[in-house]
Structures are given as structure tokens and as C-alpha cells.
Amino acid sequence: MPTAAQIDAIKRTVPVLQQHGEALTRHFYARMFEHNPEVRRYFNPAHQRSGGQQRALAGAILAYARHIEDPSALAGAIEVIAQKHASLTIQPEHYPIVGENLLASIQEVLGDAATDDILDAWAAAYGELAQVFIDREQAIYAGQRERQGWAGFKSFTVERRQVESDNIVSLTLVPTDGSTPPAHLPGQYVSVRLQDADGNTAMRNYSLSNAPGAAAYRISVKREVGNRDVPGGDVSNRIHDRLAQGDRIELSPPCGAFTLDLSASADKKLVFIAGGVGITPLISMAHAALKASASRQVIFIQAARHGGVRAFTSELETLAQDHPNFALYTCFSEPRQTDRNGDHQVKDGELEANDLERWVGGWDATYYFCGPLPMMQRIDKMLDTNGVAADDRRYECFGPLQPLAA
């Protein structure tokens, strides 16, 4: 634990971090990739180019400084990050690399404001936080070896390709050694390791979209075409264009803190709100919820631009036909003429509060939602405004962890 004087020094840096946090983290990543290029493969370059990774780290450093006297307030965020690190097989030897470059960036960006007492305080604080992550990640690896039979990366074979929409393809994956993969928790993801278009090793996280306990894993990958501001995804495009039935890729064991909890309030409604490819963890959750109970009401709301990019259409409709306690609704923000069929369960436009209240039958429910960050921010605010407790608002960000509230 940092000393009282070190805690005071860190707290004095809060205003500076508020003003210069992103400049600091931009400098940090550039410095680390220059001095330690071996760690670059652990980071998604699209998140670097978009600035999302830098903003997320700046927010995390600021939050840690604000809660330096009570780091337990950050337990939820720490668990999310530790799970992500474990999926990428981060090891204890990586932490000194990060620490050295972070402290150097603090000194180089803040200049004279980075006094010796501030640098010493941040060195002590980083050492403590690093040990928290190391201990948790080692526990995750031990649990994977015990429960799932492997840690690190393992070879899987593409058993099947399935086109789910104009921009999403599913891969059914089986262990190359002929074993049966352990059941994942609904909502978890795996890390895929393969070579990118330049021949470099790349790792990306993809949610498991199949029902838990199946004889194979299924990931469903959106083609990230990019635009003027954000480049396309090297790995997602390679999966769409190059990966075929019979090819091999490597997977790490399932990880993730965004999982379905069926242990409490068994009579409370479950509401899943999916935006775009954010459907992938939620459809796995829906399968699990329906298997667990034939009476608990499950409401599934899917948002897409139009029917061409609506994924898992037939699978969801089959669930609705087979389970009387499952209700399916769809919102199209840019509907095509063929999407307008007059069905009261299909809406033109974004999901609004009156739609949600009508379809759910009030607000008393547990909500799981995943999709583009602006959509999740809007949903979270909507739920909060209508009295839904924070414990009943559960979400996952694809990519760097971002707060939903401003």
C-alpha cells in the first residue's frame, strides 16, 4: 500500500490527469511500442487508431487516482480487465514493461510537474495495482487448467461456416485433437490467434454465440469495413475472406465477466437488448435462460439498420416458436421496403422508452445489453431514468472498457 504521503501526492495529480490524461496515454502507447515492440501484438491497432484505447486507459488511470484510498471501489473494472488480460495470456513479466513506460511518460509529458515525490508515489501505486492483476490472472489460469483442461492457446479446426447476415459470418470450431470443448458461461468470449494480412501474429476477442454445452464453439464475426476515420479490421476481413472449412486457428479458453446470472430473482423478467454484432453474447444467454426455465419470461429486442444486417433471424424465430415464454422484437433504424411488414413486433426507428415499457410490460426486469457505445449509453440512461437499479443494468463494451454515464 502506498504511504500516506504517496497517496496525497497521487491525489494531487487528479486535476492534471483530468486535463492531460489522453495526451499522457497517447505518449505512453507510442513510447511502449517503440521501446518494446514485442507487446504490440496484444493490442488491437484499430482501437489505437480510433483513440478508444487511449481514452479508456486515461479514464482508468484517473479513476485509480480518485480511488487510491479505496481501490475496492474499482473491483468490477479490475475483473473485466483481468479477464481480458487472461484471454490474451498476459504474464507477470509484461507488467514491468508497462510500468517502466508509464512512469517515463508521466515524466516526459508532465515535465517539471512530475516531481520526484509524484514519480515515487506512482511507482508504488503501479506496483500495488500490478500485483492485484497478476494475482487475479494467475488464479484465472489455474481455474482454466482445473475446470477446462487447458490454459494458453489451443488448436481448433473450422468445422463449418455459416453466413448470418450481409456482414456477419459464423464459424463452428472444434478442438483439433478431437476432444470436446468445456462448456462456456453464457456471455463469455474467446481470444482468436492467427496471422494478419501482413503475416504478423494478431489476437482478437470474439463472443461465443452458441448455446453453452454444445459439442463445439461458435464465434460470429462482423466484417469491419472501416471508413475515413476508422480503418477496417485486419483480422475480421481475413476471417471473412480467407478462413475456410478445415482451416485451423488457435483459441484461448473462455473468459469474461459479462455472464448471465440466473441465481437470484428467478421470477423476474429477463430482457436482452442487442445492437448489431452485440447480439453474439446475448443469443448465447437467451439459449441458456430458456433451457433453465420454461416459465420465466424472456424478452429479446434486436436493433439493426435493416433486415440484410439482422443476424440469426431464423434461429431467433425458432426460439420464439419453440418457447412460449420467449418474446422477440426488432427495431430497424434504416428499414428497407421489404422490412416493413406491419408486424407490431417490428418497429421502424430506434428503440424508445415507450417501446421498451410496452414490450416488457413495465420496467421491473433484469436487462442485459450489448452493442455500439452510443446505443448502450442511451439505453442505460433510459433505464436509469425509469428507476431500473444499477444491479439490473448489465452490459459489455466490445473493445476498451468505457463508462456509459457521462
Side-chain angles (χ1 to χ4, degrees), residues 4-129:
Q6 289 171 333
I7 288 173
D8 182 64
I10 289 171
K11 290 168 68 175
R12 293 201 310 270
T13 65
V14 167
V16 178
L17 292 173
Q18 287 176 314
Q19 184 175 0
H20 302 292
E22 286 190 42
L24 171 64
T25 54
R26 284 195 299 271
H27 185 282
F28 158 72
Y29 281 116
R31 188 186 198 282
M32 184 170 65
F33 294 155
E34 178 184 355
H35 290 270
N36 299 94
E38 69 274 17
V39 304
R40 184 185 290 271
R41 62 181 177 155
Y42 294 102
F43 296 88
N44 187 331
H47 298 152
Q48 291 288 322
R49 293 188 292 255
S50 72
Q53 190 82 57
Q54 294 89 333
R55 287 190 295 273
L57 180 58
I61 292 173
L62 178 59
Y64 185 54
R66 284 172 167 164
H67 295 91
I68 187 64
E69 292 176 287
D70 182 21
S72 64
L74 303 175
I78 287 172
E79 180 63 16
V80 170
I81 296 170
Q83 292 283 339
K84 181 66 68 67
H85 286 179
S87 77
L88 299 171
T89 66
I90 297 296
Q91 298 299 324
E93 58 264 28
H94 294 126
Y95 283 90
I97 294 173
V98 173
E100 178 184 343
N101 285 286
L102 181 60
L103 290 173
S105 290
I106 290 174
Q107 187 171 29
E108 292 166 17
V109 172
L110 300 189
D112 293 341
T115 58
D116 288 344
D117 64 325
I118 285 177
L119 291 173
D120 289 344
W122 271 104
Y126 175 80
E128 180 181 69
L129 184 60

Side-chain angles (χ1 to χ4, degrees), residues 88-348:
L88 299 171
T89 66
I90 297 296
Q91 298 299 324
E93 58 264 28
H94 294 126
Y95 283 90
I97 294 173
V98 173
E100 178 184 343
N101 285 286
L102 181 60
L103 290 173
S105 290
I106 290 174
Q107 187 171 29
E108 292 166 17
V109 172
L110 300 189
D112 293 341
T115 58
D116 288 344
D117 64 325
I118 285 177
L119 291 173
D120 289 344
W122 271 104
Y126 175 80
E128 180 181 69
L129 184 60
Q131 195 59 53
V132 169
F133 279 114
I134 289 169
D135 291 345
R136 177 64 188 127
E137 288 153 21
Q138 293 303 306
I140 293 171
Y141 296 142
Q144 289 173 341
R145 287 188 290 268
E146 179 181 349
R147 294 188 303 273
Q148 298 168 320
W150 99 92
F153 283 91
K154 178 176 177 176
S155 177
F156 277 68
T157 300
V158 179
E159 184 179 66
R160 182 177 180 230
R161 281 179 60 101
Q162 172 71 38
V163 174
E164 305 291 356
S165 71
D166 291 351
N167 60 354
I168 294 177
V169 63
S170 286
L171 302 180
T172 300
L173 306 166
V174 295
T176 304
D177 63 12
S179 61
T180 299
H184 67 281
L185 298 177
Q188 286 188 308
Y189 54 82
V190 293
S191 187
V192 168
R193 184 167 71 180
L194 73 170
Q195 288 188 330
D196 63 17
D198 297 323
N200 301 312
T201 298
M203 291 174 278
R204 299 289 187 272
N205 295 134
Y206 295 108
S207 296
L208 291 165
S209 60
N210 58 290
Y217 288 154
R218 182 179 70 179
I219 61 172
S220 304
V221 180
K222 177 187 175 185
R223 183 192 290 275
E224 299 292 350
V225 295
N227 53 46
R228 185 178 61 184
D229 300 318
V230 180
D234 293 335
V235 174
S236 72
N237 281 288
R238 191 165 186 81
I239 287 173
H240 273 258
D241 296 336
R242 302 285 186 88
L243 215 56
Q245 184 176 342
D247 286 346
R248 295 182 181 183
I249 60 173
E250 293 180 304
L251 302 185
S252 63
C255 286
F258 179 63
T259 56
L260 180 64
D261 181 8
L262 296 173
S263 62
S265 303
D267 57 341
K268 182 175 276 190
K269 298 172 185 175
L270 288 173
V271 180
F272 301 108
I273 306 174
V277 76
I279 190 175
T280 50
L282 301 182
I283 194 169
S284 180
M285 290 184 183
H287 278 286
L290 294 170
K291 182 178 180 180
S293 173
S295 58
R296 186 173 192 171
Q297 190 170 354
V298 177
I299 297 106
F300 201 103
I301 301 169
Q302 184 179 14
R305 286 188 294 114
H306 53 72
V309 292
R310 181 192 177 204
F312 304 110
T313 300
S314 60
E315 186 171 331
L316 287 167
E317 290 176 350
T318 297
L319 287 178
Q321 293 168 5
D322 293 346
H323 299 274
N325 57 321
F326 183 77
L328 176 63
Y329 301 93
T330 307
C331 296
F332 291 126
S333 59
E334 301 173 15
R336 305 172 306 185
Q337 191 61 41
T338 54
D339 298 327
R340 295 188 170 97
N341 57 11
D343 190 333
H344 73 284
Q345 294 179 302
V346 178
K347 180 200 172 179
D348 291 357

